């Protein structure tokens, strides 16, 4: 199973080894392989078809196949390729799985010393672009260095100082230009850990020394308009009950912002996470921030992929605009994701109203990306191989100064490429969409399955009662529950320890679980061991004594009798195990399965012609008991119940036959919905097993 599979097929340095590894693994025909990615088709056809080639080597031919051959490959691929968007998942009516994302934009205006410094940097960068000539490596490096300075200046004075301290001088190694280009244009959206270091801003130019002095002076001053509007907005979000992640592009900016917010936000825990920390330290800082009340995390893009923040935060502020909209989606995706307990997630873009670079990136790139995402239901990355379009766009900004960008040829160029990419994405969904089921055709079976295995309330009820019977308990915590496993019997403790469960553990029956809690469902080792222990003790007690040990709460009775205020006459309930033989035949192949299910059958009186079945019969056992009859009455009524069941075997056989017909109908309906072929038969196995028998007696007036 390969997660983030797109990183193994995309082009670029260092990734061909991942692809070769997966290609070697996939070459073994008997090996199963599952490739997972939450990143949609980016428009890079070569990378996409290389990824399909891992599923089947001949699928790469889809890149150039036509006519009947293309149709044949598409039909085969439909058996292996599944794409799901949020709108697709919403069709299954499973409740509100995802929060509602509310996005807004906030602007600030540079003025005074801040505006003067930015204009000084803008003029310097424009001068470098105007005087540059040729297309050699040195010239490209100088251009990228000016953009690096421009990015850092727009981010914060602290980032500008750090960039100006670093010189790009000297002959770069063959790898340096590509790495620097990726960092400046946010092109490498799949390797973000060490990507937040400020890039070098130029060579040993005396003009840069003057700029550094100006930046150093501003970094120690108050009155930063960008910082002020962000601080006010974060305060408002916290006041509304939100916990906020502020994403910055560079390490120096993150510390700069965190220092200011720590001084201005009272009773709010402010934490910083950047790529300078180890993965363990980053995770520790997030967990620690989650233990506080109101909290704010200032982070760089080292958190943009692979890190879940939904347990602790529900608002995202983009302090710096990324030049790649994929990074914006990755930032917001850390919070706006499955398991977010808040029903609303806030996202905010901060940009300079009189900053022409922010204006170009926002209008031409980010808003277009948001429009495509809204229309398609999935984000589509910029169709900008080598960042040539972004370079042309920003060069136009520098050469045109503050004149309107809308008249620029680069804007038309971008619009054309984005429209083409959107149409390709639409075609991709049509070409590779598998023959899909109609949810309405199979949802009844889905809900029946959920009812059969038990929901989280059922699992919680069992865990609470089982732990109490075995000497422990389920303690309600601030988040989830606590289970002191040390209080359980020795053999249970040892089995749990073998599964890595010891001492007092924090659990939750919801999924995803609360922070710091283990998710516990029906198949979790804790539940399985509790059930196995109760079953084993009960069977052992019956084997040795012929009757359940009345003084041992861990021994469960298979027969019982009690008084209930909710029945009008003596009612006998039998728990049954039904077995069915299911035979499927397709393409000259026959498959036989044994199907088991537990159900109940009840008679409201010995003379009742029509028994009570299914959930209605099971619900009788959930009625609260009013009293216990004397021991001799219990023994008499249990004997009567056993005699009644031996007389009513026809009712049990009839129930088994009815359930077999229902199972066949369900199976055929799902097969038809999935456009399957072949035939199916279901036969009930005679003589259902009686698991337990209970008698409910009415109260005496």
């Amino acid at each position: 199973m390969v997660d983030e599979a797109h990183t193994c097929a995309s082009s670029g340095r260092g990734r061909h080894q991942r692809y070769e590894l997966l290609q070697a693994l996939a070459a073994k025909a008997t090996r199963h392989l599952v490739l997972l990615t939450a990143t949609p088709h980016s428009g890079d056809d070569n990378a996409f078809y290389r990824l399909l080639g891992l599923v089947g080597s001949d699928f790469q031919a889809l890149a150039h196949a036509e006519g009947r051959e293309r149709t044949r490959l598409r039909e085969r691929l439909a058996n292996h390729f599944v794409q799901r968007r949020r709108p697709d998942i919403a069709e299954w009516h499973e409740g509100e799985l995802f929060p509602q994302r509310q996005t807004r934009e906030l602007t600030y205006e540079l003025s005074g010393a801040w505006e003067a410094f930015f204009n000084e940097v803008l003029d310097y960068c424009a001068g470098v672009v105007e005087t540059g000539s040729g297309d050699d490596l040195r010239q490209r490096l100088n251009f990228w260095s000016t953009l690096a300075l421009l990015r850092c200046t727009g981010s914060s004075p602290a980032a500008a100082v750090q960039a100006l301290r670093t010189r790009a001088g000297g002959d770069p190694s063959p790898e340096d230009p590509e790495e620097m280009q990726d960092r400046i244009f946010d092109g490498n959206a799949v390797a973000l850990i060490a990507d937040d270091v400020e890039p070098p801003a130029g060579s040993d130019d005396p003009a840069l020394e003057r700029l550094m002095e100006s930046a150093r002076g501003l970094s120690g001053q108050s009155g930063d308009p960008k910082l002020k509007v962000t601080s006010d907005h974060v305060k408002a979000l916290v006041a509304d009950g939100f916990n906020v992640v502020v994403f910055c592009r560079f390490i120096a900016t993150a510390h700069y912002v965190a220092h200011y917010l720590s001084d201005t936000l009272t009773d709010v825990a402010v934490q910083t996470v950047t790529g300078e920390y180890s993965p363990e330290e980053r995770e520790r800082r997030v967990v620690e921030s989650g233990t506080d009340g109101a909290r704010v995390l200032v982070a760089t893009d080292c958190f943009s992929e692979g890190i879940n923040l939904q347990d602790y935060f529900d608002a995202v502020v983009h302090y710096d605009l990324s030049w790649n909209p994929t990074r914006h989606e990755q930032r917001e995706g850390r919070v706006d994701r499955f398991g977010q307990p808040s029903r609303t997630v806030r996202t905010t873009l901060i940009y300079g109203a009189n900053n022409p670079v922010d204006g170009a990136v926002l209008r031409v790139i980010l808003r277009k990306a948001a429009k495509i995402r809204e229309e398609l239901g999935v984000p589509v990355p910029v169709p900008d191989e080598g960042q040539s379009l972004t370079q042309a766009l920003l060069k136009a900004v520098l050469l045109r100064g503050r004149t309107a960008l809308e008249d620029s040829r680069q804007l038309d160029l971008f619009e054309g490429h984005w429209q083409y990419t959107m149409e390709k994405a639409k075609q991709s969904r049509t070409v590779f969409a598998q023959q899909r089921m109609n949810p309405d055709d199979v949802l009844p079976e889905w809900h029946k399955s959920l009812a059969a295995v038990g929901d989280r309330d059922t699992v919680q009820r069992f865990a609470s009662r089982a732990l109490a019977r075995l000497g422990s308990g389920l303690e309600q915590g601030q988040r989830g529950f606590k289970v002191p496993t040390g209080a359980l019997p020795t053999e249970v403790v040892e089995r749990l320890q073998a599964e890595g469960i010891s001492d007092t553990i924090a659990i939750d029956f919801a999924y995803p679980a609360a922070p710091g809690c283990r998710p516990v469902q029906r198949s979790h080792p804790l539940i399985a061991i509790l059930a196995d222990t109760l079953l084993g003790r009960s069977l052992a007690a019956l084997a040795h004594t012929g009757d359940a040990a009345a003084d041992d709460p861990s021994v469960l009775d298979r027969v019982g009798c009690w008084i209930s205020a909710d029945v009008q006459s003596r009612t006998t309930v039998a728990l049954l195990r039904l077995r069915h033989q299911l035979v499927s035949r397709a393409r000259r192949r026959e498959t036989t399965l044994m199907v088991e299910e537990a159900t109940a059958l009840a008679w409201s009186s010995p003379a009742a012609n029509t028994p009570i079945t299914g959930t209605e019969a099971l619900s009788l056992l959930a009625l609260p008991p009013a009293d216990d009859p004397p021991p001799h009455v219990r023994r008499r009524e249990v004997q009567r119940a056993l005699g009644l069941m031996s007389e009513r075997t026809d009712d049990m056989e009839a129930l088994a036959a009815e359930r077999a017909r229902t199972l066949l109908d369900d199976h055929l309906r799902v097969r038809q919905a999935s456009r399957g072929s072949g035939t199916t038969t279901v036969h009930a196995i005679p003589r259902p097993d009686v698991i337990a028998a209970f008698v409910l007696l009415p109260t005496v007036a």
Side-chain angles (χ1 to χ4, degrees), residues 284-298:
R284 184 186 67 79
R285 285 174 168 256
V286 170
V287 173
E288 287 181 352
S289 71
T291 62
D292 300 308
R295 49 194 175 270
V296 172
L297 176 68
V298 183

Side-chain angles (χ1 to χ4, degrees), residues 441-691:
D441 291 338
V442 293
L443 274 174
E445 277 60 56
W446 171 242
H447 292 306
K448 289 177 184 177
S449 298
L450 291 180
V453 301
D455 58 15
R456 73 182 193 185
D457 292 334
T458 304
V459 176
Q460 179 179 333
R461 182 171 61 252
F462 168 78
S464 177
R465 294 178 178 179
L467 287 168
R469 284 179 174 272
L470 292 171
S472 181
L474 199 60
E475 302 174 4
Q476 180 74 55
Q478 185 176 3
R479 291 182 174 180
F481 301 86
K482 293 182 179 179
V483 178
T485 63
L488 293 167
T490 303
E491 69 271 21
V492 179
V493 171
E494 291 175 350
R495 291 185 62 184
L496 290 174
Q497 287 176 343
E499 297 287 347
I501 302 172
S502 60
D503 302 321
T504 298
I505 61 171
I507 67 173
D508 194 3
F509 299 98
Y511 187 81
C517 296
R518 307 185 191 197
V520 171
Q521 288 84 36
R522 180 175 178 267
S523 59
H524 189 275
L526 174 65
I527 303 301
I529 291 172
L530 290 176
D532 191 49
T533 300
L534 293 177
L535 177 62
R537 288 189 169 205
S538 301
L539 294 178
L542 290 171
H544 285 89
T545 67
D547 195 5
D551 58 345
D552 186 352
S554 67
V555 175
L556 306 178
D557 292 321
R558 292 181 63 190
V559 294
C561 175
W562 60 89
I563 298 173
S564 172
D566 296 288
V567 298
Q568 304 300 317
S569 60
R570 180 195 304 121
T571 302
T572 304
V573 182
L575 293 182
L576 305 177
R577 178 175 64 176
L578 307 182
R579 294 180 177 182
H580 310 287
Q581 185 184 61
L582 188 151
V583 180
S584 298
R585 300 175 183 85
R587 298 176 183 176
R588 300 180 181 179
R589 181 179 178 183
E590 182 175 289
T591 302
T592 301
L593 300 175
M594 182 65 71
V595 182
E596 293 187 351
E597 66 172 320
T599 187
L601 194 64
W603 298 270
S604 58
S605 70
N609 292 325
T610 304
I612 305 169
T613 61
T615 56
E616 185 180 357
L618 281 172
S619 65
L620 294 171
L621 299 179
L623 299 174
D627 200 357
D628 286 327
H632 72 280
V633 174
R634 290 204 302 271
R635 287 192 293 269
R636 183 191 68 205
E637 293 300 334
V638 167
Q639 289 300 322
R640 282 183 176 177
L642 297 177
L644 174 66
M645 286 185 292
S646 65
E647 297 172 0
R648 305 298 290 266
T649 55
D650 289 347
D651 290 341
M652 300 181 194
E653 297 285 358
L655 175 63
E658 179 187 346
R659 293 299 303 153
R661 289 192 294 271
T662 301
L663 176 62
L664 177 61
D665 291 342
D666 292 344
H667 192 87
L668 293 177
R669 185 162 51 252
V670 173
R671 178 182 289 273
Q672 183 180 7
S674 61
R675 298 174 177 85
S677 59
T679 61
T680 301
T681 58
V682 179
H683 300 287
I685 304 299
R687 294 183 296 277
D689 297 324
V690 179
I691 301 172

Side-chain angles (χ1 to χ4, degrees), residues 96-126:
E96 296 180 345
L97 296 182
F98 301 101
Q100 179 186 9
R101 188 186 304 187
Q102 296 179 350
T103 300
R104 65 175 300 189
E105 298 172 1
L106 285 179
T107 62
Y108 63 91
E109 287 210 11
L110 295 170
S111 60
W114 309 92
E115 183 180 21
F117 173 63
F118 184 83
N119 287 336
E120 192 177 356
V121 171
L122 196 63
D123 291 341
Y124 170 80
C125 294

Side-chain angles (χ1 to χ4, degrees), residues 11-327:
S11 58
R13 291 177 293 105
R15 299 188 198 117
H16 64 281
Q17 290 180 322
R18 302 181 191 178
Y19 183 77
E20 290 173 357
L21 170 63
L22 290 184
Q23 196 172 38
L25 292 172
K28 187 175 180 180
T30 57
R31 177 177 282 122
H32 299 292
L33 184 66
V34 178
L35 304 174
L36 304 171
T37 175
T39 300
H41 181 13
S42 66
D44 184 347
D45 286 337
N46 290 332
F48 183 62
Y49 288 116
R50 276 161 59 89
L51 193 62
L52 294 181
L54 295 174
V55 179
S57 57
D58 54 341
F59 289 144
Q60 284 192 261
L62 279 164
H64 50 76
E66 296 180 352
R68 296 179 62 182
E69 175 65 10
R70 183 173 182 82
T71 301
R72 184 185 67 83
L73 288 172
R74 282 174 49 190
E75 290 176 349
R76 279 191 52 222
L77 180 62
N79 296 319
H80 307 280
F81 183 96
V82 179
Q83 183 182 40
R84 287 285 183 264
R85 308 168 304 157
R86 286 193 182 186
D88 300 324
I89 297 172
E91 287 184 316
W92 293 85
H93 312 298
E94 287 301 305
E96 296 180 345
L97 296 182
F98 301 101
Q100 179 186 9
R101 188 186 304 187
Q102 296 179 350
T103 300
R104 65 175 300 189
E105 298 172 1
L106 285 179
T107 62
Y108 63 91
E109 287 210 11
L110 295 170
S111 60
W114 309 92
E115 183 180 21
F117 173 63
F118 184 83
N119 287 336
E120 192 177 356
V121 171
L122 196 63
D123 291 341
Y124 170 80
C125 294
V128 172
V129 173
E130 287 175 347
T131 57
S133 61
D135 193 36
D136 58 14
L137 178 61
R138 171 57 55 191
Q139 177 57 30
R140 293 200 306 273
L141 195 62
N142 285 338
F143 174 59
W144 295 336
S145 296
T146 63
L147 294 182
L149 175 58
L150 203 58
R151 289 215 68 179
C152 292
T153 301
S155 178
S156 71
V161 169
Q162 192 63 35
L164 288 163
R165 284 177 180 160
T166 309
R167 295 292 183 261
D171 292 330
S173 68
E175 292 185 350
D176 284 342
E178 184 178 347
E179 180 179 332
M180 185 175 179
Q181 181 179 354
D182 269 350
R183 289 168 60 192
I184 292 170
F185 292 100
D186 301 342
N188 191 351
V190 297
L192 303 167
I193 300 305
D195 195 28
D196 51 7
V197 177
E198 299 75 11
S203 58
D204 293 320
D205 187 336
L208 294 178
E209 295 295 332
R210 294 191 297 273
L211 291 176
M212 184 186 292
E213 289 302 317
S214 299
R216 189 179 291 117
L218 287 176
S219 64
Q221 289 185 26
S222 60
D224 184 336
K226 181 180 181 182
L227 202 53
K228 178 66 166 58
V229 73
T230 302
S231 175
D232 291 344
H233 181 56
V234 171
K235 282 182 183 178
L237 287 172
V238 171
D240 288 341
F242 288 90
N243 296 299
V244 188
V245 185
V246 180
F247 276 107
C248 304
R249 182 61 183 85
F250 302 112
I251 292 175
T253 301
H255 289 297
Y256 174 77
V257 172
H259 178 75
Y260 183 84
L261 293 179
S262 297
D263 289 342
T264 56
L265 298 178
T266 59
D267 300 324
V268 176
V270 179
Q271 187 66 271
T272 311
V273 175
T274 69
E276 62 193 321
Y277 301 113
S278 68
E280 296 76 16
E281 177 67 11
R282 291 197 295 270
E283 187 171 350
R284 184 186 67 79
R285 285 174 168 256
V286 170
V287 173
E288 287 181 352
S289 71
T291 62
D292 300 308
R295 49 194 175 270
V296 172
L297 176 68
V298 183
T300 62
D301 286 328
C302 72
F303 257 168
S304 290
E305 187 171 65
I307 303 295
N308 296 330
L309 300 177
Q310 74 272 19
D311 290 333
Y312 308 104
F313 302 94
D314 48 11
V316 170
V317 174
H318 300 280
Y319 188 79
D320 293 322
L321 297 182
S322 174
W323 290 4
N324 183 342
T326 298
R327 289 206 178 185

